[in-house]
Amino acid sequence: MEDSPPHPPCSDTTNKNPGSASSTAPVTNSKMTSLIRQPPLLFPATARHTATVIFIHGLGDTGHGWASAVENWRRRQRLDEVKFILPHAPHIPITCNWGMKMPGWYDIHTIDGNAESLRKNEDEAGILISQAYIHGLIQREIDAGIPAERIVVGGFSQGGAMSIFAGLTSKVKLAGIVALSSYLVLSLKFAELVPKPQVNQDTPIFMAHGDSDPVVNTQLGKKSYELLKEMGYKPTMKIYPDMGHSACLEELDDVEAFLRQRLPALGKEEKPEL
């Protein structure tokens, strides 16, 4: 996946292929009176469904932007038991987009490549609303019979940031977390927001970043990795040479390898234990 064509002033997407909108119950916060959520894009398991991956797109994108990556993994037939859920962010006012609405999981004040800009004036209310939504997606899979330890949450950029936050604050033990070109949100108070006991303290976290990222500075990604390690979590990090704010085939292959490791096929006779 190469860098995408130009986007709105502070979009962090790599692909754009918007879908149609449909509404659900409104959710309120300080910046809007309601959120209109489109149902997630679903890729059912091609074999018996024993595991689920929830993959969350970046600012200005939709779940459709990552459909080609899922289709590529599907062609390899190595994740046949995995259902993929690609949720769509609601359209919300984005400060660095002059207050105009675009798909986003939380508001962003500045995207200028500065390692500290994304940490200033963080939209805690928006982050917590998206956290609750992602936790709801996880719970739906559990209610449908998939054990939490057969569920991976991942994402790109803003979606990767939400994956780390929602994954580590989940009250159920997950199989893994994937965070591409992203960072730790609410880092200054993160420890206060993690429920006790910390059931995901040992959950593997695969972090990846391009060394030429002009949007989410590589140093912010590295700093987030170090902060997570200092707090006792289990992240690994890989830096890809000459990659900007996008994804490359090598990175997608590494994500696939991580998913295969964390969600191995159970076979026809084995059943996941609840």
Side-chain angles (χ1 to χ4, degrees):
M1 225 181 269
E2 298 180 353
D3 286 306
S4 58
H7 296 291
C10 62
S11 169
D12 67 14
T13 173
T14 56
N15 279 310
K16 262 185 112 59
N17 185 10
S20 58
S22 62
S23 63
T24 60
V27 184
T28 62
N29 78 358
S30 60
K31 289 222 166 194
M32 66 215 67
T33 56
S34 66
L35 295 179
I36 299 176
R37 293 196 184 275
Q38 182 181 355
L41 179 64
L42 301 179
F43 287 82
T46 56
R48 189 170 63 95
H49 177 204
T50 70
T52 296
V53 171
I54 301 169
F55 198 90
I56 305 162
H57 66 76
L59 180 66
D61 201 2
T62 71
H64 294 283
W66 286 86
S68 61
V70 174
E71 290 166 350
N72 183 56
W73 294 327
R74 279 275 185 262
R75 283 192 292 271
R76 298 171 187 250
Q77 298 183 312
R78 297 170 181 168
L79 295 167
D80 289 350
E81 296 182 14
V82 178
K83 171 186 176 181
F84 286 87
I85 299 175
L86 306 183
H88 308 293
H91 283 68
I92 64 172
I94 301 296
T95 300
C96 66
N97 197 31
W98 305 299
M100 295 171 61
K101 290 186 176 182
M102 64 192 303
W105 299 105
Y106 51 88
D107 189 17
I108 294 283
H109 283 255
T110 306
I111 294 183
D112 59 5
N114 184 293
E116 292 303 315
S117 292
L118 288 172
R119 300 179 71 194
K120 293 179 180 178
N121 301 314
E122 289 186 287
D123 177 18
E124 182 173 348
I127 290 168
L128 294 178
I129 287 173
S130 290
Q131 172 204 40
Y133 174 68
I134 295 164
H135 285 174
L137 293 177
I138 294 170
Q139 188 58 50
R140 284 185 204 173
E141 292 304 295
I142 295 172
D143 293 345
I146 301 302
E149 291 196 30
R150 294 281 293 170
I151 298 173
V152 167
V153 177
F156 173 80
S157 197
Q158 206 184 54
M162 282 310 310
S163 296
I164 296 173
F165 186 78
L168 294 181
T169 59
S170 173
K171 294 181 180 180
V172 294
K173 172 73 172 175
L174 300 174
I177 296 168
V178 174
L180 310 181
S181 303
S182 56
Y183 63 103
L184 178 65
V185 293
L186 301 179
S187 58
L188 299 179
K189 61 187 301 184
F190 181 78
E192 305 168 20
L193 300 171
V194 179
K196 305 296 187 292
Q198 298 185 41
V199 296
N200 285 290
Q201 187 78 49
D202 297 323
T203 299
I205 307 167
F206 175 69
M207 301 180 71
H209 222 110
D211 70 355
S212 304
D213 193 330
V215 179
V216 179
N217 189 285
T218 310
Q219 293 307 312
L220 180 57
K222 290 179 178 179
K223 186 171 186 176
S224 297
Y225 164 73
E226 294 295 340
L227 284 171
L228 289 168
K229 283 179 62 179
E230 290 171 12
M231 288 187 284
Y233 294 105
K234 299 295 184 288
T236 58
M237 188 169 199
K238 184 168 181 179
I239 304 296
Y240 297 85
D242 303 318
M243 188 175 81
H245 196 64
S246 62
C248 64
L249 291 177
E250 179 185 357
E251 182 184 41
L252 296 179
D253 287 347
D254 290 338
V255 172
E256 180 188 18
F258 178 82
L259 295 179
R260 291 179 65 195
Q261 179 188 54
R262 301 308 307 157
L263 303 172
L266 298 182
K268 293 183 180 180
E269 301 303 322
E270 296 183 58
K271 294 182 179 180
E273 296 182 4
L274 294 176

